[in-house]
Amino acid sequence: MQNLFRAIPSVDKLLKTPQGSALVAEFGHHAFVDQARSLIEQIRHQIQQDQSLPDVIQTENGIFDVISDRLQAQKQVAIKKVFNLTGTVLHTNLGRGLWSQGAIAAATDAMKHNVALEFDIDAGKRSHRDLYISQLLQQITGAEAACVVNNNAAAVLLMLATFAQGKEVIVSRGELVEIGGAFRIPDIMQQAGCKLVEVGTTNRTHLRDYRHAINENTAFLMKIHTSNFHIQGFTASVSEEELVELGKEFDLPVISDLGSGSLADLTAFNLPEEPMVQQKIAEGVDLVSFSGDKLLSGPQAGIIIGKKALIDRLQQHPLKRVLRCDKVILSALEATLRHYLFPDKLAENLPTLQLLTQSLENLQYKAEQLKTTLHKRLDSRYLLQIEPSLAQIGSGALPTEQIPSIAVTISASKQSDLLDLEKHFKTYPQPIIARIHQQKMWLDLRSVAEFGELVEMLETKQAIKL
């Protein structure tokens, strides 16, 4: 055993070799020494177990190859890009909306340079970081002002903490949604220090239910868009317009959490209708909150628009500083919103709309290309077909609405072969994420944004032998 241990080179010896010097030059002394020590300890443990020299020592460059691989692995970002072929365009687990080229350019500029984040260039003095966003949203939505935080849950929290701490908030029982990660509206209210007052029933809420619940401790009336579920059948709900009239009667503000928050009329793109932010402002809602990285097709953000007096109070709350966005997000959000000043060009400029508005003919063409490419790579165990599919917007937008699509499906006589293929696709330099349904793998073309790169990657891989 002692002779085996003597065969292990010291860290000093490794450092003095040409290979060690080259790795130190590339990765630095500290990182090289850390990995060398770790590997030597692993080799010692392996010798104790097997009572023989491991292969890594017996080959000339074995140790240096392992150290190099480990150092390279440390440089790789774990959050890697993937190909989304799930059929869900705004897939929360895959990062939701893709940024436009304009947003990417603006964010990159903000990363590389100092920017006028809280500085009025003309006046030569400090300004507010939400100023440019607020001006744009005034123009696009007709709201008096805007406030930006890091996501829509934060937007709701800020509104509740500012106006309802120690008070009551009236919400329809049928609107008490749970969003991703078991995060519930009642939990947000509890954290904000306010009391939830549920009115109506799960399926039916009337204006009189709100009226009967109002008392001297009521902070505001709240409307929550049920963006991730839909109740059908014997139902009734109260519109924002009706709530606004009731709010005026009792001098209570009305707040609406729209979730996905569309700034464009989706029906103009032959897509299912989704409530528009502008409509809620026109109906007199005092504050409206929505997300930046869903139907807006921008970066993650929570946007609040509405009456200036109320927005000013939000901006002054201590939580606003905790929840505010940085220069990169604000730059990307501004660039995204500027696309809405040119509504006829939205489908060209916003990646989300590009994907959602693709024609079935275009998807069929892509499916044929993908099938041909895969046919060259898969062995006889797998059957490839092109089939109609149903895609969805995702991220809580229009949960019951599906969009016609086209998919390449892969089936196998053994389910284990299909699962092996799914695992294999995930080992690619840019993993392929699909869905398995009805004992088939569905590669839906509606949700993949970089189709050319997908085909190119598949064409450079060796034939799959699992």
Side-chain angles (χ1 to χ4, degrees), residues 22 110 209 229 335 356 397 406 412 443 456 459:
D209 296 320
F229 72 95
L356 291 172
I406 303 290
L443 302 170
E456 184 180 349
E459 286 178 343

PDB file of all heavy atoms in Angstrom, residues 22 110 209 229 335 356 397 406 412 443 456 459:
ATOM      1  N   ALA A  22       0.731  25.242 -17.695  1.00  0.00           N
ATOM      2  CA  ALA A  22      -0.242  25.696 -18.695  1.00  0.00           C
ATOM      3  C   ALA A  22      -1.627  25.877 -18.070  1.00  0.00           C
ATOM      4  O   ALA A  22      -2.335  26.849 -18.369  1.00  0.00           O
ATOM      5  CB  ALA A  22      -0.311  24.695 -19.841  1.00  0.00           C
ATOM      6  N   ALA A 110     -26.641  48.861 -20.990  1.00  0.00           N
ATOM      7  CA  ALA A 110     -26.694  49.186 -19.557  1.00  0.00           C
ATOM      8  C   ALA A 110     -25.645  48.399 -18.776  1.00  0.00           C
ATOM      9  O   ALA A 110     -25.089  48.890 -17.788  1.00  0.00           O
ATOM     10  CB  ALA A 110     -28.088  48.895 -19.010  1.00  0.00           C
ATOM     11  N   ASP A 209     -72.558  41.390  -2.419  1.00  0.00           N
ATOM     12  CA  ASP A 209     -71.620  40.737  -1.496  1.00  0.00           C
ATOM     13  C   ASP A 209     -70.520  41.705  -1.077  1.00  0.00           C
ATOM     14  O   ASP A 209     -70.130  41.746   0.096  1.00  0.00           O
ATOM     15  CB  ASP A 209     -71.006  39.491  -2.148  1.00  0.00           C
ATOM     16  CG  ASP A 209     -72.043  38.422  -2.453  1.00  0.00           C
ATOM     17  OD1 ASP A 209     -72.932  38.221  -1.615  1.00  0.00           O
ATOM     18  OD2 ASP A 209     -71.947  37.792  -3.526  1.00  0.00           O
ATOM     19  N   PHE A 229     -56.636  29.570 -14.046  1.00  0.00           N
ATOM     20  CA  PHE A 229     -57.719  28.598 -14.018  1.00  0.00           C
ATOM     21  C   PHE A 229     -58.996  29.280 -14.498  1.00  0.00           C
ATOM     22  O   PHE A 229     -59.062  30.504 -14.630  1.00  0.00           O
ATOM     23  CB  PHE A 229     -57.913  28.000 -12.615  1.00  0.00           C
ATOM     24  CG  PHE A 229     -58.533  28.958 -11.611  1.00  0.00           C
ATOM     25  CD1 PHE A 229     -59.897  28.958 -11.367  1.00  0.00           C
ATOM     26  CD2 PHE A 229     -57.738  29.856 -10.913  1.00  0.00           C
ATOM     27  CE1 PHE A 229     -60.462  29.823 -10.450  1.00  0.00           C
ATOM     28  CE2 PHE A 229     -58.290  30.736  -9.993  1.00  0.00           C
ATOM     29  CZ  PHE A 229     -59.659  30.718  -9.767  1.00  0.00           C
ATOM     30  N   ALA A 335     -37.142  49.391 -23.531  1.00  0.00           N
ATOM     31  CA  ALA A 335     -37.030  49.035 -24.946  1.00  0.00           C
ATOM     32  C   ALA A 335     -38.209  48.172 -25.391  1.00  0.00           C
ATOM     33  O   ALA A 335     -38.725  48.332 -26.504  1.00  0.00           O
ATOM     34  CB  ALA A 335     -35.715  48.290 -25.194  1.00  0.00           C
ATOM     35  N   LEU A 356     -46.361  32.797 -31.361  1.00  0.00           N
ATOM     36  CA  LEU A 356     -47.798  32.542 -31.250  1.00  0.00           C
ATOM     37  C   LEU A 356     -48.530  32.727 -32.580  1.00  0.00           C
ATOM     38  O   LEU A 356     -49.579  32.123 -32.799  1.00  0.00           O
ATOM     39  CB  LEU A 356     -48.415  33.458 -30.192  1.00  0.00           C
ATOM     40  CG  LEU A 356     -48.015  33.173 -28.735  1.00  0.00           C
ATOM     41  CD1 LEU A 356     -48.542  34.258 -27.816  1.00  0.00           C
ATOM     42  CD2 LEU A 356     -48.526  31.799 -28.292  1.00  0.00           C
ATOM     43  N   ALA A 397     -51.503  32.480 -18.643  1.00  0.00           N
ATOM     44  CA  ALA A 397     -52.299  33.232 -19.612  1.00  0.00           C
ATOM     45  C   ALA A 397     -53.255  32.288 -20.340  1.00  0.00           C
ATOM     46  O   ALA A 397     -52.832  31.265 -20.871  1.00  0.00           O
ATOM     47  CB  ALA A 397     -51.398  33.927 -20.613  1.00  0.00           C
ATOM     48  N   ILE A 406     -48.318  22.065 -34.779  1.00  0.00           N
ATOM     49  CA  ILE A 406     -47.823  20.862 -35.451  1.00  0.00           C
ATOM     50  C   ILE A 406     -46.659  20.312 -34.635  1.00  0.00           C
ATOM     51  O   ILE A 406     -45.820  21.072 -34.140  1.00  0.00           O
ATOM     52  CB  ILE A 406     -47.332  21.163 -36.886  1.00  0.00           C
ATOM     53  CG1 ILE A 406     -48.450  21.793 -37.724  1.00  0.00           C
ATOM     54  CG2 ILE A 406     -46.798  19.898 -37.559  1.00  0.00           C
ATOM     55  CD1 ILE A 406     -49.578  20.861 -38.080  1.00  0.00           C
ATOM     56  N   ALA A 412     -42.100   4.391 -29.550  1.00  0.00           N
ATOM     57  CA  ALA A 412     -41.264   3.193 -29.506  1.00  0.00           C
ATOM     58  C   ALA A 412     -42.072   2.065 -28.895  1.00  0.00           C
ATOM     59  O   ALA A 412     -42.997   2.303 -28.111  1.00  0.00           O
ATOM     60  CB  ALA A 412     -40.002   3.453 -28.692  1.00  0.00           C
ATOM     61  N   LEU A 443     -42.610  16.735 -30.016  1.00  0.00           N
ATOM     62  CA  LEU A 443     -41.726  17.867 -30.283  1.00  0.00           C
ATOM     63  C   LEU A 443     -42.550  18.923 -31.008  1.00  0.00           C
ATOM     64  O   LEU A 443     -42.684  18.921 -32.229  1.00  0.00           O
ATOM     65  CB  LEU A 443     -40.536  17.426 -31.137  1.00  0.00           C
ATOM     66  CG  LEU A 443     -39.673  16.294 -30.552  1.00  0.00           C
ATOM     67  CD1 LEU A 443     -38.686  15.797 -31.589  1.00  0.00           C
ATOM     68  CD2 LEU A 443     -38.946  16.753 -29.310  1.00  0.00           C
ATOM     69  N   GLU A 456     -29.338  22.422 -36.941  1.00  0.00           N
ATOM     70  CA  GLU A 456     -27.880  22.393 -37.103  1.00  0.00           C
ATOM     71  C   GLU A 456     -27.225  21.529 -36.031  1.00  0.00           C
ATOM     72  O   GLU A 456     -26.313  20.740 -36.311  1.00  0.00           O
ATOM     73  CB  GLU A 456     -27.331  23.825 -37.033  1.00  0.00           C
ATOM     74  CG  GLU A 456     -25.831  23.919 -37.275  1.00  0.00           C
ATOM     75  CD  GLU A 456     -25.327  25.358 -37.205  1.00  0.00           C
ATOM     76  OE1 GLU A 456     -26.168  26.277 -37.169  1.00  0.00           O
ATOM     77  OE2 GLU A 456     -24.100  25.540 -37.176  1.00  0.00           O
ATOM     78  N   GLU A 459     -27.860  17.839 -36.756  1.00  0.00           N
ATOM     79  CA  GLU A 459     -27.124  17.352 -37.911  1.00  0.00           C
ATOM     80  C   GLU A 459     -25.636  17.107 -37.615  1.00  0.00           C
ATOM     81  O   GLU A 459     -24.978  16.340 -38.301  1.00  0.00           O
ATOM     82  CB  GLU A 459     -27.250  18.336 -39.074  1.00  0.00           C
ATOM     83  CG  GLU A 459     -28.631  18.300 -39.726  1.00  0.00           C
ATOM     84  CD  GLU A 459     -28.797  19.301 -40.852  1.00  0.00           C
ATOM     85  OE1 GLU A 459     -27.963  20.238 -40.903  1.00  0.00           O
ATOM     86  OE2 GLU A 459     -29.738  19.164 -41.633  1.00  0.00           O
TER      87      GLU A 459
END
